[in-house]
Amino acid sequence: MSAGEPPPVCPVVKDFLARQGIIAFAGLVFLGWTWVRVRRGLETRDVRTFAADTSKQAGQQAMGGAMMVVLGHKLAEDGFSPLAWYGALYPFEIVLTTGFTGVFRRLNEALALHISTEKPWLSWAQPLANVGQYGPGGRSDFRCSWYAAQLLQATLLIGLPARLCALGLVSASLLLLPSPLSPCHQLARAYFLSGWPCGVQAAAILYACPLLGDAVQFIVIDRLQAARGPAPGRRSLGSSRPSVMARVSHVLAPFSARRFSDGSPHDDELGRRILLTPSQPTSHDPSPDGSRAAAAAGPPDHRLP
């Protein structure tokens, strides 16, 4: 760009459609990373489960990119170019989306566990309560109906609200912060005034930067949305009622404890302890014969009635 010539207003839609190949390339990097984990004995998923997990991620990332394109065009009405705004939104969106994905995954699973426990006849809640597991028989069982339910859950109940929250926070920062104090605004300004031709800007914004970012996000969100491995207190679906109740009680403990309290903090704490530790004794006696507990209770009362 020569001196005195205005910066080019670069479009983003055409290059964004071409950029979807980058997502495919990031998926190949993700495949390579998973292959290394398989070779080291750290990955136990079969091909169908792995393909199902990857397809859910691809749908989420494509949806997030389309939302940033729309927001970039909206922000470009007040200055700069859609491509510059896309490049400015990307780093903040990817970090915030990853965090919100973990939050909405836990909320979805906890709510589905509560529904499947209180109303076990609602079979549609079972696949939503076992994210990353595609059949009632465990990892070896794969059912297309479970995969379809979790695909909708990943895109509409986890991915969409996570990206709405992330882009909503970025948009709020642009409205509330002065332009010199807004990192997103300053990054868009730097891209727009860089003097780079549109082709160079597209290569940097849509290809170079997202290459690493998308690959890392694939890995992190895959860990967040994969099936949870066996842990103490967690059983298979066929005998999962005690562990389900324990997890639901843990999530709803503060609310349930307050419901049965008469207003005193002692009752609130007692209700929480009952919910969280239903099978543990109320006192702990380290002595093998219980003599310490008996001594603490005092001598027996031999008085006649």
Side-chain angles (χ1 to χ4, degrees):
M1 183 180 67
S2 60
E5 183 180 351
V9 179
C10 302
V12 68
V13 174
K14 180 180 178 180
D15 292 304
F16 170 76
L17 295 177
R19 178 195 171 270
Q20 299 312 302
I22 283 294
I23 295 182
F25 187 81
L28 294 178
V29 176
F30 178 61
L31 286 172
W33 180 81
T34 304
W35 178 81
V36 172
R37 289 177 55 85
V38 171
R39 297 284 292 181
R40 297 180 59 189
L42 301 175
E43 182 62 65
T44 59
R45 287 176 291 181
D46 57 18
V47 176
R48 290 180 303 181
T49 302
F50 178 73
D53 291 342
T54 306
S55 64
K56 291 191 300 184
Q57 278 235 55
Q60 288 177 331
Q61 293 212 24
M63 176 180 58
M67 294 172 66
M68 284 196 295
V69 169
V70 174
L71 182 57
H73 273 275
K74 181 65 177 177
L75 294 173
E77 296 177 357
D78 297 326
F80 306 148
S81 67
L83 183 60
W85 277 114
Y86 184 96
L89 292 170
Y90 178 80
F92 302 99
E93 186 270 346
I94 196 172
V95 172
L96 293 173
T97 294
T98 303
F100 280 119
T101 297
V103 172
F104 282 104
R105 181 256 162 92
R106 289 192 293 269
L107 290 176
N108 269 267
E109 196 171 24
L111 180 59
L113 282 170
H114 178 68
I115 294 175
S116 63
T117 302
E118 297 296 327
K119 300 178 180 180
W121 61 88
L122 297 178
S123 58
W124 58 265
Q126 290 186 359
L128 304 185
N130 294 269
V131 177
Q133 178 179 320
Y134 301 103
R139 292 188 176 183
S140 60
D141 188 10
F142 188 95
R143 298 189 181 183
C144 294
S145 59
W146 279 53
Y147 165 69
Q150 291 193 28
L151 181 62
L152 293 176
Q153 180 191 38
T155 53
L156 299 181
L157 301 181
I158 298 177
L160 180 61
R163 282 155 178 82
L164 287 175
C165 290
L167 294 177
L169 283 179
V170 176
S171 301
S173 70
L174 291 171
L175 292 175
L176 298 177
L177 293 177
S179 298
L181 299 180
S182 172
C184 185
H185 186 277
Q186 291 302 310
L187 186 55
R189 183 176 184 274
Y191 276 127
F192 184 66
L193 300 178
S194 63
W196 296 344
C198 289
V200 177
Q201 289 190 42
I205 294 173
L206 296 176
Y207 293 89
C209 294
L211 176 59
L212 177 62
D214 286 351
V216 171
Q217 191 182 44
F218 254 105
I219 294 172
V220 173
I221 294 184
D222 176 70
R223 292 297 92 195
L224 291 174
Q225 296 188 150
R228 300 180 187 271
R234 183 174 177 88
R235 309 180 183 179
S236 62
L237 189 63
S239 60
S240 61
R241 191 174 185 84
S243 60
V244 166
M245 288 301 298
R247 294 178 64 188
V248 173
S249 298
H250 179 75
V251 174
L252 302 179
F255 308 100
S256 301
R258 291 185 179 91
R259 181 188 304 173
F260 297 102
S261 174
D262 62 358
S264 66
H266 302 287
D267 289 340
D268 187 78
E269 181 63 24
L270 177 61
R272 184 179 292 107
R273 289 180 180 178
I274 292 175
L275 284 171
L276 293 180
T277 57
S279 61
Q280 295 180 1
T282 57
S283 62
H284 177 65
D285 184 10
S287 59
D289 56 352
S291 58
R292 184 174 299 180
D301 190 358
H302 299 289
R303 291 178 297 177
L304 294 175

